Amino acid sequence: MSNSDYLNKQFATRALHVGNEPDKETGAISPPIFQTSTYVQKSPGDHLGYEYSRTHNPTRTRLEQCLASLENARHCIVSATGMSAAHLIMQIIPKGQAVICGDDVYGGTYRLFTTVLQNEFNFIFIDTTKTDETIKLIQKNKPAILWIESPTNPLLKISDIKKLSKCAKDNGVITVVDNTFMSPYFQNPLDLGADISYHSMSKYINGHSDVVAGAIMTNDDRICKDIAYFHNSIGPSQSPFDSWLVLRGVKTLAIRMQKHEENAMIIAEYLESHPQVESVTYPGLRSHPQHEIANEQMSGFGGMITFFIRGGIEASRKFLEAVKIFLLAESLGGVESLVEHPAIMTHASIPKVEREKIGLTDNLIRLSVGIEEVEDLISDLNRAFDAAK
Ligand SMILES: *Cc1c(COP(=O)(O)O)cnc(C)c1O
């Protein structure tokens, strides 16, 4: 079967086969890594579609084909990191325009917008879970971009992608959804009306904590053309080897996401009933403030859990020093379970007053639940809670 034969198959089949056809020359089942910068031409301008690897590379093309199919998109452009992909997206709108952005976005996105691009655009931050207020703000400011992260990092706030994209579309606004936390397996923003789905593939899509990478998916030919132009001009191109690693990692996305979610649900319920826990945030819990919207727009609840431990910063520190299977590290979405402290680690670039304003307090702990045996994870957490007493 060729690529196009797989396009109408189920997600898990596409993840494995689209972009992964055996090599035509040798039959190799694992696609070659085209570790090349340039391509020989027959006569000037007469080439096989590839000229230079900053622009295009056959291994990268395979990955882009696979990712586009997983996000139900016509186009995908990958880049060297998630942040470089975010930066590319921001190039396609005229300078001086307003941009409306969620107030609880990834720390690096917040830093990019407030310290690198702050003089180029007028950034307006709002809690995009407040649908009516956000709609009013869109109508009033007519921004060039509406930037939604759903669920957010680390508070797992969920915005109504369908309603917000509809309003954005009516007002000529490009909607970008950072879909990193759900991966294309649990959420497809383009199907909900967004113009761009954006991923840090360093997380679930690659899933093995051994690559940093970003991806932009869209059905809009114009947006794709513009992003490709800036990608080629600025040059945050992903290496052929990293493209190959992600192409390998993404093969198991479906089965990994299922296990991440299964484990996370059990752990979220365990935490909710634990006396040393003040509260738990997980989209799959009924207690989650946007559980209903989560149910509507996502086909699962993912592997990220945020909880507030009793005993403040001291208890947090003891807990984080005591875990053994949960590794204390930034990042998320890999097969191994990770734990981190946003206020000290990933979100330190947000000033303390701003952090506390949005509920990012010093007793907040974030778990990226991996695919280990869940009993082992729970006994690890038990030990850490004992140490934090
Ligand atoms: C990690 C992350 C990013 C940034 O991606 P990098 O690959 O680290 O550059 C953006 N958004 C979210 C939600 C993330 O978790």
Side-chain angles (χ1 to χ4, degrees):
M1 297 218 316
S2 72
N3 236 357
S4 51
D5 297 320
Y6 287 110
L7 288 175
N8 58 356
K9 300 290 181 224
Q10 297 296 314
F11 188 98
T13 311
R14 280 181 277 142
L16 247 158
H17 290 290
V18 177
N20 261 305
E21 307 153 287
D23 179 40
K24 286 205 175 70
E25 273 183 31
T26 63
I29 196 159
S30 169
I33 303 170
F34 283 94
Q35 193 67 44
T36 186
S37 61
T38 190
Y39 306 81
V40 176
Q41 309 196 357
K42 277 207 198 81
S43 88
D46 182 3
H47 52 75
L48 299 167
Y50 293 93
E51 295 159 279
Y52 188 56
S53 280
R54 188 184 62 240
T55 325
H56 292 297
N57 175 280
T59 316
R60 213 152 69 216
T61 304
R62 282 173 172 266
L63 175 61
E64 288 169 342
Q65 287 169 344
C66 179
L67 294 167
S69 92
L70 296 185
E71 199 61 291
N72 303 331
R74 268 210 298 283
H75 311 288
C76 172
I77 292 172
V78 306
S79 69
T81 61
M83 287 324 302
S84 63
H87 188 241
L88 284 177
I89 294 170
M90 295 307 293
Q91 305 304 315
I92 67 171
I93 56 168
K95 303 282 180 276
Q97 303 267 321
V99 173
I100 294 182
C101 178
D103 66 358
D104 180 31
V105 289
Y106 175 70
T109 306
Y110 184 83
R111 180 175 53 205
L112 177 71
F113 289 176
T114 56
T115 70
V116 180
L117 300 176
Q118 84 278 16
N119 295 327
E120 298 183 18
F121 304 101
N122 170 26
F123 289 99
I124 307 167
F125 292 91
I126 184 172
D127 180 353
T128 51
T129 66
K130 297 188 172 139
T131 311
D132 294 342
E133 281 177 37
T134 309
I135 284 177
K136 276 194 202 115
L137 200 69
I138 294 169
Q139 288 164 341
K140 180 167 155 247
N141 289 279
K142 299 265 193 287
I145 280 183
L146 168 67
W147 190 286
I148 307 171
E149 196 174 306
S150 184
T152 61
N153 175 20
L155 294 168
L156 305 172
K157 295 198 287 194
I158 290 165
S159 299
D160 191 328
I161 297 173
K162 211 177 215 171
K163 275 205 187 128
L164 292 177
S165 323
K166 165 93 175 51
C167 167
K169 192 139 284 171
D170 293 346
N171 287 275
V173 179
I174 296 171
T175 304
V176 180
V177 175
D178 185 334
N179 197 25
T180 301
F181 270 38
M182 280 302 109
S183 89
Y185 184 69
F186 281 140
Q187 179 168 272
N188 300 113
L190 304 182
D191 293 350
L192 296 166
D195 300 292
I196 295 176
S197 172
Y198 153 72
H199 291 267
S200 166
M201 301 201 291
S202 321
K203 318 297 167 51
Y204 287 108
I205 289 183
N206 178 58
H208 293 72
S209 310
D210 51 12
V211 175
V212 286
I216 300 163
M217 290 81 144
T218 183
N219 280 319
D220 187 312
D221 299 343
R222 173 82 223 190
I223 289 175
C224 173
K225 203 163 157 250
D226 288 352
I227 288 180
Y229 176 81
F230 287 109
H231 173 271
N232 187 43
S233 304
I234 299 171
S237 315
Q238 194 184 42
S239 77
F241 184 55
D242 283 358
S243 296
W244 184 86
L245 279 173
V246 180
L247 195 56
R248 184 176 67 163
V250 77
K251 285 182 187 176
T252 53
L253 183 61
I255 197 161
R256 279 189 284 113
M257 292 314 291
Q258 288 161 20
K259 188 67 181 166
H260 281 298
E261 183 190 39
E262 187 188 313
N263 283 355
M265 194 67 216
I266 295 169
I267 291 177
E269 283 170 352
Y270 154 84
L271 289 170
E272 205 167 41
S273 65
H274 200 286
Q276 279 165 272
V277 173
E278 214 169 79
S279 67
V280 187
T281 309
Y282 180 66
L285 292 176
R286 269 177 217 288
S287 57
H288 188 286
Q290 293 97 30
H291 178 66
E292 290 308 313
I293 300 172
N295 239 337
E296 270 171 42
Q297 70 187 17
M298 290 148 43
S299 58
F301 303 112
M304 298 302 297
I305 303 175
T306 289
F307 71 96
F308 298 82
I309 192 168
R310 289 192 200 280
I313 187 103
E314 263 322 293
S316 306
R317 198 178 291 279
K318 284 185 197 150
F319 181 93
L320 293 167
E321 284 169 1
V323 280
K324 289 206 172 83
I325 296 180
F326 277 90
L327 301 170
L328 179 61
E330 296 192 2
S331 197
L332 59 107
V335 284
E336 59 286 284
S337 291
L338 300 181
V339 61
E340 75 115 359
H341 192 270
I344 302 175
M345 296 166 69
T346 44
H347 291 62
S349 55
I350 304 176
K352 189 174 164 77
V353 269
E354 294 301 319
R355 278 205 312 263
E356 307 242 306
K357 235 191 264 172
I358 57 172
L360 234 163
T361 53
D362 285 350
N363 66 336
L364 186 161
I365 293 175
R366 188 187 79 182
L367 301 179
S368 170
V369 178
I371 63 170
E372 298 93 340
E373 197 59 53
V374 72
E375 277 167 40
D376 293 330
L377 295 177
I378 287 189
S379 66
D380 196 39
L381 295 173
N382 271 332
R383 183 179 42 244
F385 277 121
D386 284 346
K389 264 186 190 145

